[in-house]
Every structure is written in C-alpha cells, then in structure tokens.
Amino acid sequence: MGKLQNKVAVITGGASGIGAATARLFAEEGAKVVLVDLNEEKGKAFEAELKALHYEALFVKANITSEEEVANIFKQGIEAFGKVDVVFNNAGIGRVHSSHDLAYSEWRNTVNVDLDGVFLVAREAIREMLKAGGGTIVNTASMYGWVGSPGSAAYNAAKGGVINLTRSLALEYAEHNIRINALCPGFIDTPIIPEESKQALAAVTPMKRLGQAEEMAKAVLFMASDDSSFMTGNTLTVDGGYTAK
Ligand SMILES: NC(=O)c1ccc[n+]([C@@H]2O[C@H](COP(=O)([O-])OP(=O)(O)OC[C@H]3O[C@@H](n4cnc5c(N)ncnc54)[C@H](O)[C@@H]3O)[C@@H](O)[C@H]2O)c1
C-alpha cells in the first residue's frame, strides 16, 4: 500500500522540476494527481506520460496569481477525483538582478508569483480542507528564505515570507486537522537554474553537487503523508549543507 493510497494531490508547478518529480513519486505512492502549471505543452505531455503508466492524472492550466484560475484548479480536481487531500504549493519563478536598478514591476511580478500566488493556492486549499475535515499542504520556500544572497532580493523576501506564512497558517488551522509545512531546497538541478550557473552553484554547496528533484520529492512526500503526522508549521531544509555554514 502506498503512502498516499487513494489520496488526491494538487501539485502546482507540476509540469517541471521539483513539482514533476514529486507528482511522479506521489503517483507511485497511490495518489491521483492534479498537475497545475502555466506551461500547457509540458503539462499535457506529462499528464499523458503518467496516464500511459496507468496512473490517474489531470492537467489543469492555471496561473497561481489569478484568484479565478486558482479556484478553477480545485473545481476541476474535485470534479475529476471527488476531493483534494494534499496540496504541494510549489510553482515559482526566480531571476537574478541587481536591486538598485530592479524595476518595481519586476519586484511586483516576483513577489506576486512567489508569495501572493502561494497564499492564493493555500487559501483555496484550506477552504476545501475545512469542508472535507482535513488535509496537508506543503509550500515550497527556499534556503533563501533563511539566508540572504546578492541579486535576488525580491525572490529572497518572498521566500522568507513563505516560511512565516507557513507558520501562521499552520497555527490558524492546526485544530482543524490541516497540517501545513514548507520545503526549503538548496540548489537543485532543474530548469530554473541557468545551465551556465550550475557548476559554480555546485562548488559553493558543501556536498559539492546540485540536489536532484527526486531528492526534494522524498522530503515533500514525508511532509504530505502520515509519516509526519505530528509536524506542522515547520520546514525541511534540503540543501546539501549550504545553510549549515
Ligand atoms: N531549483 C532550485 O534550485 C530551487 C531552489 C529553491 C527553491 N526552489 C523553488 O522550487 C519551486 C519549483 O522550482 P523548480 O526548481 O522545479 O523550477 P521549474 O522552473 O522547473 O518549475 C517551476 C514551474 O512553475 C511553473 N510556474 C511558474 N510561474 C507560474 C504561475 N504563475 N502559475 C503556474 N505555474 C507557474 C513553471 O511553468 C514551471 O513549470 C519554485 O518555487 C522555486 O522557487 C527551487
């Protein structure tokens, strides 16, 4: 029996990287997965790939910064699979740009996706989980929610926000059987990291390599499943030792 047998999981950013690896592991563990992404082409291809493996999967195109589109994710997921038990609130963007000439519109765009979008998905998830009597949410923050770095002030501020959003929502809904935790990845080998940066980022990681999306998925599975049944409002930092320095 899988760790998420008969559960329904919504995964944002589910077409790529950490979200896709987690969707695959969740499906292997018995979950029906709702893949959410802006990238329709990749999302549909991944849905077809999972279905070909006889997993239950549904792709929903949505922008997590739109209240209407976020509501539609849950409407479609519930229409297809009857409920939502788990939400991996993971879609995000990141760009490196010096702060003194960062356009306000770019700051807003980053914070809009990486913090506001996470709130909108969590809010909708909580609404459904209150009706259903419980559930688990895992938000993707970053090790850059804990430590600073030059050139990504908006991203780092948003990710720090996700960590305290996680604690605050967890406390608010702890008595309602809704557990909310966050993943803080280090440098992970996904399309969000430019190819030309990979070697340098591996070199500054104590374990001298990038993490793999599959290594994140295992941590997410822990937080999403009953294996972490007494954990809420907390974070797992999976970073090859970066923040231990
Ligand atoms: N890879 C890393 O080194 C790293 C480190 C720390 C945190 N993270 C975080 O992990 C999460 C997943 O990133 P990843 O590394 O898998 O990158 P990725 O680029 O492979 O995946 C992110 C996915 O999110 C989707 N997305 C972006 N904006 C969206 C929006 N507004 N609405 C819906 N979907 C949207 C993208 O289309 C993409 O498929 C992000 O929140 C990222 O900030 C990544």
Side-chain angles (χ1 to χ4, degrees):
M1 178 118 146
K3 287 183 190 289
L4 294 178
Q5 205 65 43
N6 300 322
K7 303 281 189 193
V8 178
V10 168
I11 296 132
T12 70
S16 178
I18 296 169
T22 301
R24 193 183 295 275
L25 181 61
F26 279 11
E28 287 166 6
E29 292 290 338
K32 298 166 188 173
V33 293
V34 181
L35 310 167
V36 178
D37 211 287
L38 266 181
N39 189 326
E40 190 165 23
E41 199 184 325
K42 267 176 111 173
K44 284 198 161 156
F46 189 43
E47 178 199 52
E49 189 185 327
L50 290 178
K51 281 181 166 169
L53 295 166
H54 305 291
Y55 296 128
E56 291 196 67
L58 171 75
F59 172 69
V60 179
K61 184 183 180 193
N63 187 332
I64 60 159
T65 65
S66 156
E67 291 189 70
E68 292 73 25
E69 291 181 31
V70 168
N72 185 49
I73 297 167
F74 287 83
K75 186 170 169 282
Q76 286 205 44
I78 289 165
E79 262 170 32
F81 300 132
K83 57 176 184 165
V84 172
D85 304 288
V86 172
V87 172
F88 183 33
N89 195 358
N90 162 76
I93 54 171
R95 260 178 233 107
V96 176
H97 202 297
S98 51
S99 296
H100 63 275
D101 61 3
L102 182 72
Y104 179 52
S105 57
E106 200 172 325
W107 164 278
R108 276 288 347 132
N109 186 41
T110 302
V111 175
N112 196 24
V113 177
D114 289 344
L115 182 57
D116 299 21
V118 170
F119 169 71
L120 292 178
V121 172
R123 185 182 67 172
E124 206 60 35
I126 289 165
R127 287 174 176 165
E128 292 305 330
M129 288 172 183
L130 284 172
K131 285 188 236 162
T136 57
I137 301 173
V138 180
N139 298 322
T140 301
S142 169
M143 67 177 179
Y144 281 160
W146 292 122
V147 296
S149 64
S152 48
Y155 180 86
N156 298 358
K159 293 299 189 178
V162 171
I163 292 173
N164 217 23
L165 174 68
T166 300
R167 292 192 192 105
S168 303
L169 292 177
L171 292 175
E172 202 170 337
Y173 297 100
E175 287 179 64
H176 296 271
N177 196 30
I178 303 172
R179 295 190 301 106
I180 309 173
N181 292 291
L183 174 75
C184 293
F187 299 123
I188 312 305
D189 193 356
T190 73
I192 213 172
I193 295 196
E195 211 49 55
E196 61 274 17
S197 310
K198 287 186 178 171
Q199 214 180 339
L201 297 179
V204 296
T205 299
M207 289 179 73
K208 299 297 172 208
R209 66 172 177 88
L210 299 181
Q212 296 301 312
E214 292 71 19
E215 294 176 294
M216 301 302 105
K218 289 178 192 167
V220 180
L221 176 64
F222 172 71
M223 290 186 278
S225 70
D226 286 344
D227 279 357
S228 62
S229 49
F230 198 50
M231 176 180 180
T232 198
N234 224 312
T235 55
L236 269 181
T237 302
V238 188
D239 65 355
Y242 190 94
T243 53
K245 285 191 281 179

